[in-house]
Amino acid sequence: AKIRYEDKLVGQQDVIQADVDLADLHRRRIELERVRLVAIARINTLLLRPAEERLPPSPKSLPSQVDVPAADLLRQMALARRPDLAAISARVRADQAAVELARLQYYPDTEFFGRYDPFWQETDVQTAAGLNRNGPIYRRRLSAAVSESQFRLAQRRAEYRQKALDIEYEVQSAYEQVAEARRTTELFSKQYVPLAEQNLAVARADYDVGKTNFLIVIMAQRQTFDVRERYEQVLADYYRRLAELERAAGGALPQPAEEIPKPMPEQ
């Protein structure tokens, strides 16, 4: 624009418009720098470090695609690795033991003993041997205890099944969100960004030969910057959703050659 203005091909307005857009880019850079510093402070706070401490340099770019196993394999991995489901499984086993213990109360207890004492009498110490045996007479009380323990076991098993269904839903939902983010990333990298750059190149070429005005070039440049920034945001969102999928699956996503753990059987 400056060269064409010096050659008296365009007015000064083109140069001023370019300066205005450059100033706006500087403003955006200041805003992004503030966002970066706030993110660093947040990360340091989560790591229990001083807010201003330096972090390792971030990568210049991130791969736009990550190998993700199939949804059914991720569901199996989640059922085998989620600690909250493992905790409920342990409670199921504890309730099963409580049922068995309640049933054992139907059987009489036998206790053998041997003594060498005066048997609370002012006589010489005597030796004695024998056994004690109690008989379960109050059957209703024992039956009530068994029923109560069985009810708790059934309740815990229902809780286990519901938690397993919730985990499968979380994994499937996170998987679909990752798939959506992956398709959006591909759309930006293969269509939006190349088309925006092509549009800018055509606008600049037309402006150089006087086929269009400078406002068209400015609009194409703004659109290119906007598309590139949105692509970075979409890529960051893709990795956030990958992290959510890892949380739902109970750990890092396995590599293609890694064996998927078997889910915990329902007790």
Side-chain angles (χ1 to χ4, degrees), residues 138-156:
Y138 300 102
R139 310 285 292 185
R140 291 184 179 180
R141 179 180 62 82
L142 299 177
S143 299
V146 171
S147 299
E148 181 183 5
S149 59
Q150 288 176 339
F151 171 78
R152 291 178 179 174
L153 176 60
Q155 183 181 24
R156 194 70 70 184

Side-chain angles (χ1 to χ4, degrees), residues 16 37 51 69 94 107 161 164 194 204 210 218 221 234 243-244 247 252 254:
I16 296 176
L37 294 177
Y107 298 95
R161 289 191 293 269
R204 292 186 63 176
I218 290 294
Q221 184 70 76
V234 166
E244 293 175 357
R247 183 205 62 78

Side-chain angles (χ1 to χ4, degrees), residues 3 57 85 96 121 155 158 160 176 186 200 215 223:
I3 293 174
L85 187 63
Q96 283 181 331
Q121 299 178 12
Q155 183 181 24
Y160 179 91
E176 296 301 335
E186 292 178 351
L200 175 60
L215 183 60
Q223 185 182 44

Side-chain angles (χ1 to χ4, degrees), residues 42-49 55:
R42 179 58 177 164
I43 293 174
N44 282 325
T45 301
L46 294 174
L47 295 176
L48 303 179
R49 305 194 308 180
L55 293 176

Side-chain angles (χ1 to χ4, degrees), residues 56-72:
S58 58
K60 295 297 182 181
S61 61
L62 293 172
S64 59
Q65 298 295 329
V66 176
D67 292 332
V68 178
D72 56 343

Side-chain angles (χ1 to χ4, degrees), residues 84-85 87-89 91-92 95 151-167 266:
D84 46 356
L85 187 63
I88 299 177
S89 178
R91 297 190 188 102
V92 170
D95 289 336
F151 171 78
R152 291 178 179 174
L153 176 60
Q155 183 181 24
R156 194 70 70 184
R157 283 176 172 172
E159 182 181 355
Y160 179 91
R161 289 191 293 269
Q162 183 60 50
K163 188 62 179 179
L165 292 175
D166 292 340
I167 289 175
E266 181 183 350

